[in-house]
Amino acid sequence: MRLLHTSDWHLGRSFHGVGMLDAQRDFIDQLVTYVREEAVDVVLIAGDVYDRALPGVDVVRLLDDALVRLTGAGAQVVLTSGNHDSAIRLGFASRLLERGGVHLRTRLDELDQPVVLPLGDSAVNETGVDDTAPVLAIYGIPWLEPRLVAEQLGAGAASHFEVTRAATERIRADVRHRGAARTVHSVVLAHTFASGGISSDSERDLSIGGVGAVPLDLFDGFGYTALGHLHGRQELSPSVRYSGSPLAYSFSEAKHRKGGWLVEVDADGIGQVREVLWDAPRTLAVLRGKLEHLLESEDFAWAEGAYCQITLTDAARPAQAMDRLRARFPDTLVLGFDPEGAGAAPKASYSSRLAEADDDLSVCCGFLEHVRGRPASDAESEVLAEALEAVRLAGVSL
């Protein structure tokens, strides 16, 4: 049996104001093709299927299309809800969808209700189903908000550690019960921040002060733990892994190689785990330097068709910087300024310079210099002086 571990689809998300539905459709095309060509039996989605609790109609339609195509390609789908999903909405019609091979695990009372799949040729004999044959039990832990679920789970405290420990203990008890008469190999989906993971900017803060991490030993004893929440694909241990998001959702992910994990399972348990890679629809470029160098150097030719985040290091902020950059890099989405030598000599604070201003014109010119990093030109000073004079003549007090 082959399981494909994915997570964090974030359907409906935008990238710095650029819609990503077309890129997400491309990912789903790749996913369906891979499932068909590699004869994948089960697709796992470990939370954050949607990017919003109330996804748009076109976003819901995209997930509907993905599930129909995946099951049509011969795979079952097991998915859990993440912190971006509405567990109630995502879990709608779960019992009906189960008949079509889509298994939703979004509620606490489903923690110990796994998707059970037979393993090996001995699962069915001439008299029917062999109740002693090895099986694979796939459990789903939805996103657990400690304050809301601690009491229901009987957790010792309202913390990520305690609620996750309570959830995994409930799953272990079910594995032991099922394993009394047969061999049970377990796979757990969980949307959480496990210690040892490397975060990136597009995992949004879940609470003031950051996210409570859970230790890896909470997942000891399970055959494989398919994690979601962090967007970088990574191996925390041979049996605990993050698949990462299928697309880059922030410039901090520019160096990520997006993909997932293909997990082989047979009657003896978890076998080989190998990486799966997705083709990126657009390159991400994080550039830094002086404006003229960025515009003229052939070293940056590769970034002309990329989504760009650019930081200019000119001592003074260049005029019309974004327009000039977009002439070469049309898809510059983020522009920042970090002047070289800015920290060498501490400058007086804006408030102290404002207190030393002699007149209204000095205040206006000082503000202009403060917000854009270079003084007002003579022409700009004249325009400001004319505006101030017009205000004075109108009898408005400054």
Side-chain angles (χ1 to χ4, degrees), residues 287 293-294 296-303 328:
L287 308 180
H293 181 60
L294 291 169
E296 296 173 2
S297 175
E298 286 303 311
D299 293 342
F300 305 109
W302 65 272
R328 183 177 190 186

Side-chain angles (χ1 to χ4, degrees), residues 18-83:
V18 177
M20 297 195 71
L21 272 184
D22 286 342
Q24 290 170 337
R25 288 191 187 97
D26 179 72
F27 154 66
I28 290 170
D29 288 343
Q30 293 184 60
L31 177 64
V32 172
T33 299
Y34 187 87
V35 165
R36 183 176 291 111
E37 292 180 349
E38 296 295 326
V40 172
D41 297 285
V42 184
V43 175
L44 310 176
I45 312 174
D48 280 354
V49 183
Y50 291 127
D51 191 58
R52 293 287 183 269
L54 290 171
V57 173
D58 51 350
V59 179
V60 175
R61 187 178 297 120
L62 180 57
L63 178 60
D64 175 66
D65 179 65
L67 296 177
V68 169
R69 294 175 65 192
L70 288 171
T71 53
Q76 298 191 59
V77 179
V78 182
L79 64 88
T80 59
S81 51
N83 54 295

